[in-house]
């Protein structure tokens, strides 16, 4: 199986990383290019287009209490001006451990903290309002920040109860933005209903160069309704790295300053104008820096996005 680390060996960026020069390479990028930000539609507040997620290996390290590795990830993100961090009570110990790390760094006010509410199951129905409120209060305790920037209902579960509670928190000024997430295209019709019926500030959806379903209806509707978008699984977890394997990057992406496959995938996902930020999960500081490099320089225009998608589509499936 080809891993992301294997793919990185075939890029100039990783050659520099192996020589201990990766930060210097990004400093060079910082000197030559500006950080790309997007405005939250409902407020105009700007966020960097690349952030950090906390599922997958981040969750594994959190549950193993490998705080050194995760602390290095947060330091790398902050050093290169990333702020958006997406987590959830459903991601094991991720929220608790991340909160402890961020508070230890004294960075509570630097992080745009996006967490979730998930007392109800995916099938909806039956969320206990008392338990839901207790979960939100636990998030306040873990994060050490009041108000929390964003809380979303996890996977559309019991929208009436859970989103209703989040509306209360927003009215009280304890949550700045509210929304819901959905990473299953079969549930997009329900997501569309909620987007049209509820005053959402954000949604979180799956979107990647080989998973473009959200661009057909969800992303255009978000733009129409003034809803911010967090993109999840832009690497298809590890699917895209397995798919490109050991191939070198195509020459025609060089003008965008793309130095790795991760940057290729992230710049594609961030290029859609409805996307506010892309939040790939990682527990590796080197990967975090590589990801942040995608937040600098230029994004592909529509013609180049089409070429990127066609290039990946012609590769064998992972």
């Amino acid at each position: 199986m080809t891993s992301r680390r294997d793919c990185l060996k075939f890029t100039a960026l990783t050659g520099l990383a192996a020589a201990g020069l990766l930060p210097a390479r990004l400093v060079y990028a910082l000197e030559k290019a500006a950080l790309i930000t997007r405005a939250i539609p409902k407020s105009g507040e700007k966020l960097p287009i690349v952030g950090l997620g906390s599922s997958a290996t981040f969750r594994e390290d959190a549950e193993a209490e490998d705080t050194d590795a995760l602390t290095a990830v947060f330091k790398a993100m902050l050093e290169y001006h990333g702020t958006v961090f997406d987590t959830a009570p459903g991601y094991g110990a991720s929220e608790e451990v991340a909160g402890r790390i961020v508070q230890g760094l004294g960075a509570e006010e630097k992080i745009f903290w996006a967490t979730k509410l998930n007392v109800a199951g995916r099938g909806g129905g039956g969320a206990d309002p008392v338990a839901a409120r207790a979960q939100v209060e636990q998030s306040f305790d873990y994060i050490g920040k009041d108000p929390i920037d964003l809380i979303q209902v996890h996977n559309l579960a019991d929208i009436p109860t859970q989103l209703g509670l989040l509306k209360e928190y927003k009215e009280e000024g304890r949550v700045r933005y509210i929304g819901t997430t959905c990473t299953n295209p079969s549930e997009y019709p329900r997501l569309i209903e909620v987007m049209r019926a509820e005053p959402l500030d954000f949604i979180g959806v799956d979107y990647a160069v080989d998973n473009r379903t959200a661009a057909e209806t969800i992303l255009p509707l978000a733009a129409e309704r003034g809803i911010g978008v967090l993109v999840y699984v832009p690497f298809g977890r590890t699917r895209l790295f397995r798919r490109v394997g050991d191939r070198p990057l195509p020459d025609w992406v060089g003008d965008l300053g793309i130095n790795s496959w991760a940057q290729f995938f992230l710049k594609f996902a961030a290029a859609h104008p409805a996307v506010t930020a892309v939040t790939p999960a990682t527990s590796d500081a080197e990967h975090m820096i590589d990801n942040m490099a995608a937040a600098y320089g230029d994004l592909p225009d529509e013609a180049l996005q089409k070429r990127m998608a066609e290039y990946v589509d012609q590769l064998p499936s992972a």
Side-chain angles (χ1 to χ4, degrees), residues 13-205:
L13 190 62
T14 297
L16 290 165
L21 298 176
L22 182 57
R25 173 64 181 84
L26 190 50
V27 167
Y28 176 81
L30 285 167
E31 292 174 349
K32 298 297 182 181
L35 177 70
I36 306 168
T37 61
R38 286 268 173 76
I40 298 172
K42 294 290 175 61
S43 68
E45 176 183 359
K46 292 185 176 181
L47 298 176
I49 61 165
V50 175
L52 170 64
S54 60
S55 59
T57 59
F58 188 106
R59 172 178 180 168
E60 292 171 7
D61 279 10
E63 293 180 343
E65 288 286 334
D66 189 354
T67 56
D68 289 346
L70 298 183
T71 298
V73 168
F74 274 107
K75 286 181 176 178
M77 181 177 77
L78 291 166
E79 182 175 358
Y80 298 110
H81 309 293
T83 62
V84 180
F85 176 63
D86 181 86
T87 190
Y91 296 165
S94 293
E95 184 183 59
E96 178 181 5
V97 171
R100 203 159 66 234
I101 290 170
V102 169
Q103 291 179 67
L105 293 172
E108 300 96 313
E109 298 305 317
K110 295 179 181 178
I111 297 292
F112 182 93
W113 199 289
T115 190
K116 303 180 184 72
L117 176 60
N118 65 347
V119 171
R122 180 183 289 267
D128 178 354
V130 174
R133 187 174 294 275
Q135 187 181 83
V136 174
E137 292 298 330
Q138 183 69 82
S139 291
F140 280 108
D141 290 343
Y142 286 155
I143 294 167
K145 183 176 183 179
D146 191 342
I148 289 174
D149 298 294
L150 168 63
I151 303 182
Q152 300 186 91
V153 176
H154 206 164
N155 287 324
L156 295 168
D158 195 352
I159 288 291
T161 300
Q162 299 197 126
L163 187 63
L165 177 61
L166 293 182
K167 290 177 188 176
E168 293 178 18
Y169 273 96
K170 185 178 179 182
E171 289 172 2
E172 294 167 2
R174 298 194 67 201
V175 177
R176 298 174 61 219
Y177 303 104
I178 61 174
T180 189
T181 72
C182 177
T183 55
N184 185 343
S186 69
E187 296 179 0
Y188 282 179
R190 172 60 176 149
L191 176 60
I192 289 170
E193 292 177 7
V194 174
M195 291 171 69
R196 292 194 180 281
E198 298 287 354
L200 303 181
D201 302 309
F202 270 91
I203 58 170
V205 294

Side-chain angles (χ1 to χ4, degrees), residues 151-277:
I151 303 182
Q152 300 186 91
V153 176
H154 206 164
N155 287 324
L156 295 168
D158 195 352
I159 288 291
T161 300
Q162 299 197 126
L163 187 63
L165 177 61
L166 293 182
K167 290 177 188 176
E168 293 178 18
Y169 273 96
K170 185 178 179 182
E171 289 172 2
E172 294 167 2
R174 298 194 67 201
V175 177
R176 298 174 61 219
Y177 303 104
I178 61 174
T180 189
T181 72
C182 177
T183 55
N184 185 343
S186 69
E187 296 179 0
Y188 282 179
R190 172 60 176 149
L191 176 60
I192 289 170
E193 292 177 7
V194 174
M195 291 171 69
R196 292 194 180 281
E198 298 287 354
L200 303 181
D201 302 309
F202 270 91
I203 58 170
V205 294
D206 55 318
Y207 181 58
V209 68
D210 69 339
N211 174 25
R212 303 184 294 275
T213 304
E216 297 171 7
T217 54
I218 302 301
L219 298 184
L221 181 59
E224 174 189 322
R225 299 283 295 171
I227 299 171
V229 177
L230 296 184
V231 165
Y232 303 143
V233 291
F235 303 144
R237 295 184 170 84
T238 61
R239 182 186 66 244
L240 279 168
F241 291 111
R242 296 196 309 272
R243 192 164 184 178
V244 297
D246 296 342
R247 294 173 179 82
L249 288 162
D251 293 340
W252 41 267
V253 300
D255 290 344
L256 291 175
I258 292 175
N259 295 287
S260 71
W261 281 112
Q263 293 169 32
F264 181 107
F265 303 141
L266 291 173
K267 281 184 179 283
F268 176 89
H272 194 289
V275 171
T276 310

